[in-house]
Amino acid sequence: MLQFTSQEMAAIRRRASQDIIEQIIADNQVVLNSETLVPPDARATWNLYYFCPTHGVRLNWDRNKPTEHVCPVDSEVLTGEPYDGAWWRWLNGLNSKACNDLGLLWQITEEKLYLEKVREILLAYAEYYPDYQEHGGIPYNGPGKANAQTLCEANCNIDFARGYDFIKDQLSFDEQAYIEQRLLREGAQFLMQHRADQLHNHEMKISATIGVIGLILNDQSLINFAVNTPYGLKYQLENGVKGEGLWFEGSIHYHYYALQALLNFEKMACKTEHSLQSEPNFHTMLAFPLKLLMNNGDFPRLNDCIAGQEKLTHSHLFEFAYREFNDPLFASALQNIYQRSPRNTIDALLYGVETLPGAEQLQCQSIHAEQSGVTIMHNRQYSNMLLVKHSPYGGEHDHYDRLGLIINRNGKEILPDLGTTGYGAELHYGYYKNTATHNTLAVNQQNQPPANPQVNQFVEANEYTWLDTQTDWCGEQPTVDSHTIVQWDDAAYKDVVFRRQILWLGDVAIEFDTVKNPHQQQLDLIWHIRGEHHTLSQAKSCDNPLDGPLARMTDSHEIPLHESIELSYEIEGQTNFNQQILTDSKATLLLGYAPDNPATSELAYTLLRCKDAMLKTTVVHNLTESDDIRVIGVEWGFDSINFTLLRNGLARSVYINQQTGVVLID
């Protein structure tokens, strides 16, 4: 066995608790308690089709009902494709996971029931695998054999390989040869044919699987392809980690997904000459996202992040990382993870140190990561937080929301980033992934083209933080060494310049937005609030004038905006959240409701609509739960902004030098 030495496995057996054994059994009940079932042909498609098209939630999977798929929200039964094919993909996932889990359980308990189940599954897939027909059609992805995309093929094959490693010594020579040739090597060669020449988390996963199979088969050609060739693991590490340490795709979920692939290989390779721990970005990639935790304990759902993937649950990474690097930061990550559950996990058993040291829990912190493109402003006293996304374009898993905002008040996300849902559900491309469903600027309700924002000024002082960011669509678009599909409108944004400046005072955030709109397109500055419009008495009911993602907006109202307006929103569990919006432009506010994530509840949308060639807008986000805060007398100079800030009737003069970022508050 390659994964663990005999001494390591003996120690694992001694330390394995009955709870862990029962956990592994429970996690694999479906496979253990059913006759081994393997698709005889290439009928399995994509697990991300297995989502309700109405609510965007995962369907209930039933081993005994391959043609009936139930929505957990309203119990609607969905039939036919794409759900039937996705059902079989789910089964492939359960089978491959069982190979790894039950192979380990065999090693721990030496009960032949688990050995035999792994043997049955591996031999069955080895029988069918060479004859599975390539099939696919999944956006951005290469084809699969047992599944419909190359990524899924890699995810299943690595678990087949690890399960095989656990039981190899109990198989006959003929059985070993049969599985190695018809399943493992066949799978590795297929993956080699379809690994794309691009930076991508998929290619990390694919390379890791090829590398693990190469290690198990002691095949140097497979290992070299996985590790050392262009777009292999080393290349991805060197070129895919940007700036301060964020994976180029800009999604914290996919950052960890790529890292998971790297550690899948490293857990096998760490005792060999093929270890990658000395690569500079290895530790950086582990450490950096921990600085981006919000004050609700979650990561921001930047870019593609399905609801639930924003949680810090990565014990499978940090148990191994702490053992290898002895970094207190990773002990703190584990401290956060285990505050919700005991440290009685498989990851701790296999890869963790026996006793973790005392460590402080990770906390939200202010950070300005200019190259990675994330700025967080945090006030610990009031537990308020604001995040600005000014990251460079990240390719497939990016969302088109340059200079987008997230605001948390008293630890509650009230101007959220929604992330997304299963990619096979209509709501993914039809709603969540679009510019108009983010707190940013949309032009003609179309998606922003790729852009790399710039930071003009960032100043952090005792009383305030000032961030001045800008993005434009005036010249050549940035590109990324990763496959993309055009899902934006170049003509709508041609020559538009969007500048967003934030003055952060801890319990109030004042947002200054300027938009140069030389072709006088329809501009929409958008804010969506996790709450309800408190009163619409000043608004007139209207038909929804929007198309695209927000054509589904309901209860539409409009208000002509004359210089200044104050809006209030009811927030569950808190007092009302208040905004003030000021502009000298001819503008209209459009109010309504559209889906939250999951789509079982709604958000309150506010859109400021304008066609002026120059739009200047000030927005006051009052993050107190009691104070009356307003702004009056906003004056935009050539290189300055002046206004009076009123707090409970008391006036303070504020002068902002836009050239230096110096703010004077009297």
Side-chain angles (χ1 to χ4, degrees), residues 10-50:
I12 290 169
R13 290 190 190 102
R14 288 194 303 271
R15 291 165 47 207
S17 67
Q18 188 60 35
D19 285 346
I20 285 183
I21 292 172
E22 291 175 359
Q23 176 189 334
I24 298 173
I25 293 171
D27 288 347
N28 294 275
Q29 276 291 344
V30 170
V31 174
L32 276 172
N33 293 338
S34 305
E35 181 181 354
T36 298
L37 178 63
V38 170
D41 51 40
R43 64 184 65 183
T45 56
W46 195 27
N47 53 328
L48 291 180
Y49 284 141
Y50 215 65

Side-chain angles (χ1 to χ4, degrees), residues 319-336:
E319 287 285 3
F320 180 80
Y322 181 72
R323 188 191 77 182
E324 296 297 301
F325 290 100
N326 195 31
D327 187 331
L329 179 64
F330 303 149
S332 291
L334 292 169
Q335 178 74 14
N336 280 53

